[in-house]
Amino acid sequence: MPAPKFPRPLIRKLESDDLPVLALEAVKELRAYLDDLEATHILKARELGATPTDIAEALGITRQAVYNKLRALERRGAAGKGS
């Protein structure tokens, strides 16, 4: 799974002090992008032999949180295959 392309236009929206609702929408879009990017790199790290402990340390989370993310990604992948 290739890394999703960075949504550069969001940066301008994020910096918009005059239009806070537009900036908030951009925050939501950026969170979704970062979630996808994190998922891509977690799966790639596992593919290349990284342990859940390695990933947890890199993300600053617990190993259990990594296992939860991996289960969620597994469910998401299974749901995508069933469509």
Side-chain angles (χ1 to χ4, degrees):
M1 171 192 298
K5 186 172 168 62
F6 185 76
R8 294 189 191 286
L10 288 180
I11 299 304
R12 281 204 198 323
K13 291 179 186 178
L14 288 170
E15 295 172 338
S16 176
D17 290 336
D18 297 336
L19 301 168
V21 173
L22 186 64
L24 289 171
E25 289 173 355
V27 168
K28 179 182 79 169
E29 290 178 50
L30 190 56
R31 278 192 184 123
Y33 165 78
L34 291 173
D35 287 345
D36 288 344
L37 188 63
E38 180 183 75
T40 297
H41 289 297
I42 285 173
L43 294 173
K44 185 66 173 179
R46 288 294 286 153
E47 183 181 306
L48 295 174
T51 66
T53 300
D54 297 331
I55 295 167
E57 288 175 2
L59 291 173
I61 61 177
T62 65
R63 200 175 48 181
Q64 184 61 43
V66 172
Y67 285 119
N68 290 339
K69 286 178 182 289
L70 288 167
R71 273 194 295 278
L73 290 171
E74 194 174 277
R75 284 192 303 270
R76 190 168 94 181
K81 290 177 184 173
S83 308

